[in-house]
Amino acid sequence: MAKAISRRGLGRAAVLLAGGAMMSRWIPSASAQDQARIRFGGFVESQEQLKQTIAVLEAYMAQNPGVEIVPEFTSFSAFTDKLATEAAGGNAPDMFSVNVDLLAEYAQRGVVTSLDEYVPDPINLADYADGGIKASTFDGQLYAIPNDAIAPAIITNLASFQEAGIELPPPMFTWEALADVAVQLTEALGPRFWGLEDAGGNYIPCDIFLRSMGKSMFTPDHQFGFEPEDLARWYAYWQDLRDRGGVPPGDVQALASSDDPSTSGLVNGRAAMNITLTDSFAGFQALVSDELVLHLLPNGFEGGDMKQHHYSYAGNSTAVWSQSPHKDRIIDIIRFMHFDPKGIELYYRQSGMVPASSAGREALAKEGSEADRKIVDYLEVLQKDPAPPRYPGVTGMSGMLRRANEGVAFGQLTPMQAAEQFISEAKPRL
Amino acid sequence: MASVKANPVFAPPLGRGRKRSGVSTRQNGVAFLFLAPWVCGILVLTLGPILASLYLSLTNYDLFTAPVWAGLANYQRLFFEDARYYQALKVTFTYVALSVPLKLAFALGVALVLNRGLSGLGFYRSVYYLPSLLGGSVAIAIMWRQLFAYDGIVNEFLLQFGIDGPSWISNPVYALYTLVTLSIWQFGSPMVIFLAGLKQIPQELYDAAAVDGAGPWRKFLNVTLPLLTPIIFFNFVMQLINSFQAFTPSFIISNGTGGPADSTLFYTLYLYEQGFTNFQMGYASAMAWVLVAIIGTTTGLAFMSARYWVHYGDESR
């Protein structure tokens, strides 16, 4: 064998192989000049949202045979890690979902491209919800197109209230009243059932709690908007509820993942109320046979002022990778999803997502499902007296808040220590 | 090359030295050519990234912008300023200390039972090996979640006896032990190796022991165990290294959080969180290098201890 293959022969073979490899790179690109293969990475809140997103992308591909859109969708937490890895390797999807915190992170690092040149033509955001546009803007530039309008809400199982013979609280109510209702529900429907799920590790209700005290989680200039005692009061609120039985103990609550409705107590028949965002509502309702409604979070404390503190914003916006060679094509895909009647119908109908544009919301209210209508109505209430927008936080803060809350729930930290732990972890990232 | 020549096994046969060496140079050339893809692979895909991570461990690197030299700052933060790092170390060492001996003992026990001339041995061997094949997979971790959750099958069973069980996977007191149980259950791979080792022990030794009046327990202690020590040692080292790198079970069962309250925060999970969730790849690289040192040291200690308890059949005493 050693004689059969001479060194020169091997060299020739190597040159031929390398040449072949180069040729094979040439051939498809020559015939693919008018073709585009676009990777679309994103996070979805429910199976319904995934189904509708894929449907609208397929409709676009049917109209544009040269374009292939490769969907790469997953849950929010899995998505953030995946995107970070891909972006670091210079291989980010051409277009991808961001939320307000990710947008800030990626805009300042140059991963996403400014979209100002595409507004107002072909992307006209004139009737888009202001909170959504603010959530897609960083340092005065638009970096993403808001896909949806979302807001915080208590998803509430009406049947539990009826079974317990307890009245639903009025829309404007206090944090103390919420705690009392939760405890009453547990007393009526327990054991192994609780009035409310523990939201002590959740950023948005914490922000609204702080705003009810005249503070906020973050300020527009990326600083904390609260003192340690204020956050300690938040953790003490949930510890008090745990002690009184209004929310599940720490080990039961730890089973629920914040971005998977199927693991929640509300879906698993362990709780009557879950504090979350409106974009999960359709996903929750699809998994529960009882009728669910959206209820406002508390807006003040006993003896204090009652003021609307809920903001609507974009939970999911689409950004464009700064190195994508297909920017114009991506803008056209976004245009189809947001402004083409066929695209709008496919993208939003029964997806649980509510359009950021008021025209889109009106259309959805007329033609959408019962769950869609409930979300639109809920958001309309918030548009009448909008609170200041949601300010960007820091990546990883959900984990920091949750760990501190668990520390209190499992008796490892006092509320004050939990607040200090959160501050010490989040501060270096501001 | 000098060491190769000094080794009698590799010494060329006498009388053909000169001629052979000419041929072997040419053959070596071809051999190196064929080896080239592999060598390139290991240099570019393995050694390169390893050395790059050593450099990155001395920098602040956020994945997106160029790394900035930081000297030993990451290591200083790791050892003196990061309480969660010590929690991750504690969790990982507890996991290793419990899962490795328990898994080996369980694997050996099952291997001994299977070695008793059972009919259909191949079938049982495959069945017991199955959890190891599936064990590292996401599906099994999810199944474990269903079994040991608050309203899972285990608690439903306990409820039949009036016991209101805790949520085994989401209570900091039990969560880590649930993961240890999952690890023990994946005993197939060491079991198969033990089984092969047991087959190698000569029957004469058992016969001789029987003639001397040894019972089953005595045979196990004085024949089986000493002759199996090289296999035990091999399995021990492999499991030790694997356990330090455990990631999937905690990632899936705790939804990637290492929770509740950091009770299942494996070293690799914390490393992953720092690198990919908090964008601190320099810090994560430093953690990786400390893990290499930890695994290297514990493996080295295992090898040093081997001379006191591992007996090779061809050794003369």
Side-chain angles (χ1 to χ4, degrees):
Chain A
M1 281 304 286
K3 278 185 183 168
I5 304 173
S6 68
R7 225 180 271 193
R8 193 172 294 167
L10 261 174
R12 264 188 231 127
V15 168
L16 275 172
L17 273 171
M22 285 174 76
M23 286 296 285
S24 69
R25 282 178 66 87
W26 260 90
I27 294 164
S29 66
S31 67
Q33 271 174 350
D34 53 350
Q35 307 237 329
R37 185 174 184 274
I38 293 166
R39 289 167 56 216
F40 188 174
F43 55 87
V44 289
E45 300 296 332
S46 63
Q47 196 60 34
E48 291 72 20
Q49 190 183 338
L50 177 65
K51 199 172 128 199
Q52 296 313 117
T53 308
I54 303 257
V56 73
L57 298 180
E58 279 174 355
Y60 185 85
M61 285 190 282
Q63 283 186 12
N64 300 273
V67 179
E68 184 196 2
I69 306 171
V70 184
E72 299 173 1
F73 291 98
T74 175
S75 70
F76 179 69
S77 56
F79 171 75
T80 52
D81 298 349
K82 189 166 174 262
L83 179 65
T85 319
E86 289 175 332
N91 188 33
D94 296 282
M95 54 195 295
F96 52 86
S97 310
V98 287
N99 75 348
V100 56
D101 307 317
L102 285 178
L103 184 87
E105 198 86 44
Y106 286 118
Q108 61 189 334
R109 293 190 157 105
V111 179
V112 291
T113 200
S114 167
L115 302 178
D116 280 345
E117 63 177 290
Y118 301 104
V119 179
D121 182 38
I123 305 281
N124 188 347
L125 303 176
D127 76 336
Y128 268 50
D130 193 43
I133 294 172
K134 285 202 171 95
S136 304
T137 305
F138 183 79
D139 275 351
Q141 290 193 64
L142 188 77
Y143 279 100
I145 305 299
N147 293 338
D148 61 348
I150 66 169
I154 307 177
I155 298 187
T156 305
N157 188 333
L158 276 185
S160 301
F161 275 83
Q162 283 157 3
E163 195 186 335
I166 296 170
E167 293 245 329
L168 210 59
M172 288 296 259
F173 71 136
T174 62
W175 286 95
E176 289 89 346
L178 173 66
D180 291 341
V181 163
V183 173
Q184 287 165 19
L185 281 162
T186 305
E187 283 167 358
L189 304 173
R192 292 168 79 94
F193 186 94
W194 293 270
L196 177 65
E197 289 195 72
D198 189 338
N202 193 332
Y203 164 81
I204 300 289
C206 181
D207 196 19
I208 293 180
F209 184 91
L210 292 169
R211 286 175 184 226
S212 308
M213 295 160 62
K215 310 285 177 76
S216 66
M217 198 83 190
F218 295 97
T219 61
D221 54 346
H222 307 294
Q223 296 300 316
F224 290 131
F226 63 89
E227 299 299 320
E229 308 80 62
D230 305 323
L231 191 59
R233 187 172 168 191
W234 165 254
Y235 287 124
Y237 176 82
W238 292 100
Q239 183 53 36
D240 177 57
L241 257 173
R242 249 173 251 126
D243 292 342
R244 293 167 64 194
V247 297
D251 58 346
V252 177
Q253 188 59 48
L255 290 168
S257 154
S258 58
D259 62 351
D260 182 1
S262 73
T263 61
S264 69
L266 186 72
V267 167
N268 288 286
R270 292 195 303 262
M273 294 183 280
N274 179 300
I275 300 181
T276 183
L277 294 160
T278 49
D279 58 346
S280 303
F281 183 71
F284 272 96
Q285 185 63 80
L287 295 169
V288 176
S289 55
D290 294 335
E291 188 191 352
L292 302 179
V293 293
L294 292 154
H295 197 287
L296 285 173
L297 271 66
N299 276 305
F301 293 93
E302 268 173 21
D305 291 338
M306 293 294 277
K307 192 171 180 305
Q308 212 291 98
H309 293 296
H310 293 57
Y311 36 75
S312 71
Y313 62 105
N316 189 329
S317 306
T318 306
V320 181
W321 182 32
S322 55
Q323 293 175 45
S324 174
H326 305 296
K327 292 193 180 76
D328 291 344
R329 177 60 74 182
I330 294 167
I331 294 297
D332 193 52
I333 296 170
I334 294 174
R335 180 206 56 76
F336 180 74
M337 294 168 81
H338 289 249
F339 298 99
D340 189 297
K342 189 178 178 193
I344 294 172
E345 190 189 329
L346 282 170
Y347 189 36
Y348 291 106
R349 177 77 59 84
Q350 289 172 6
S351 71
M353 291 207 308
V354 168
S357 69
S358 55
R361 282 199 301 279
E362 273 169 33
L364 189 70
K366 275 192 206 128
E367 297 154 16
S369 70
E370 182 62 26
D372 290 335
R373 246 189 304 281
K374 282 180 181 168
I375 306 171
V376 172
D377 291 347
Y378 183 81
L379 286 167
E380 289 310 317
V381 172
L382 302 187
Q383 301 305 320
K384 284 174 194 148
D385 182 18
R390 181 187 162 182
Y391 306 123
V394 296
T395 51
M397 72 179 170
S398 303
M400 299 170 195
L401 268 175
R402 195 205 58 251
R403 272 197 305 283
N405 190 49
E406 283 179 352
V408 179
F410 292 114
Q412 298 166 349
L413 300 173
T414 63
M416 193 63 201
Q417 286 169 332
E420 281 163 357
Q421 179 181 303
F422 173 79
I423 291 166
S424 71
E425 286 185 18
K427 200 168 186 176
R429 304 197 54 77
L430 282 173
Chain B
M1 283 306 285
S3 66
V4 171
K5 276 184 182 167
N7 187 336
V9 176
F10 292 105
L14 288 173
R16 297 177 62 193
R18 244 171 207 287
K19 204 178 168 192
R20 289 266 312 171
S21 75
V23 173
S24 71
T25 308
R26 244 176 98 183
Q27 281 187 336
N28 279 350
V30 176
F32 283 131
L33 194 67
F34 277 104
L35 270 174
W38 181 83
V39 172
C40 287
I42 198 148
L43 288 179
V44 176
L45 299 176
T46 309
L47 206 60
I50 288 175
L51 290 177
S53 80
L54 182 61
Y55 164 69
L56 290 176
S57 78
L58 302 168
T59 65
N60 278 331
Y61 177 46
D62 68 359
L63 283 171
F64 303 107
T65 44
V68 180
W69 181 258
L72 294 172
N74 285 327
Y75 292 93
Q76 188 186 344
R77 189 178 138 207
L78 204 58
F79 293 127
F80 302 109
E81 293 159 33
D82 189 349
R84 285 189 82 206
Y85 177 68
Y86 282 96
Q87 172 66 13
L89 276 180
K90 189 178 134 196
V91 167
T92 309
F93 272 98
T94 311
Y95 178 77
V96 171
L98 289 174
S99 71
V100 173
L102 287 172
K103 186 185 204 169
L104 291 187
F106 198 70
L108 180 58
V110 176
L112 285 168
V113 172
L114 289 184
N115 195 38
R116 299 178 65 149
L118 230 63
S119 60
L121 174 65
F123 172 74
Y124 288 112
R125 201 169 45 198
S126 310
V127 167
Y128 287 125
Y129 191 70
L130 217 53
S132 289
L133 277 181
L134 306 169
S137 74
V138 171
I140 294 296
I142 289 174
M143 187 185 91
W144 219 250
R145 218 184 131 83
Q146 299 297 333
L147 280 174
F148 289 98
Y150 176 67
D151 38 15
I153 297 167
V154 170
N155 276 354
E156 290 299 324
F157 177 75
L158 290 177
L159 211 56
Q160 306 292 319
F161 304 98
I163 303 167
D164 190 7
S167 181
W168 304 95
I169 54 162
S170 58
N171 186 313
V173 179
Y174 308 105
L176 184 60
Y177 303 113
T178 316
L179 297 187
V180 170
T181 317
L182 174 61
S183 157
I184 297 169
W185 184 58
Q186 294 157 24
F187 62 89
S189 149
M191 178 205 71
V192 168
I193 299 171
F194 276 136
L195 208 49
L198 287 170
K199 298 244 177 265
Q200 297 297 316
I201 300 175
Q203 185 58 35
E204 305 95 79
L205 294 178
Y206 289 111
D207 296 342
V211 169
D212 289 346
W217 180 240
R218 204 97 193 106
K219 280 186 198 165
F220 173 72
L221 275 187
N222 290 357
V223 179
T224 312
L225 214 50
L227 287 175
L228 213 55
T229 48
I231 307 288
I232 296 175
F233 177 63
F234 172 78
N235 272 336
F236 176 70
V237 170
M238 297 310 285
Q239 293 304 324
L240 192 70
I241 295 171
N242 275 340
S243 298
F244 270 116
Q245 298 174 27
F247 176 83
T248 319
S250 170
F251 184 77
I252 301 299
I253 290 175
S254 73
N255 287 319
T257 65
D262 283 347
S263 58
T264 61
L265 186 69
F266 284 157
Y267 197 104
T268 49
L269 189 63
Y270 188 44
L271 189 158
Y272 174 84
E273 187 187 312
Q274 287 295 348
F276 295 104
T277 309
N278 298 344
F279 304 126
Q280 302 194 14
M281 198 48 89
Y283 193 61
S285 300
M287 284 185 70
W289 275 90
V290 176
L291 183 62
V292 168
I294 290 172
I295 294 178
T297 310
T298 45
T299 312
L301 287 174
F303 270 91
M304 278 164 69
S305 76
R307 73 169 76 159
Y308 300 108
W309 62 276
V310 180
H311 310 289
Y312 291 96
D314 55 355
E315 275 175 352
S316 56
R317 287 198 152 187

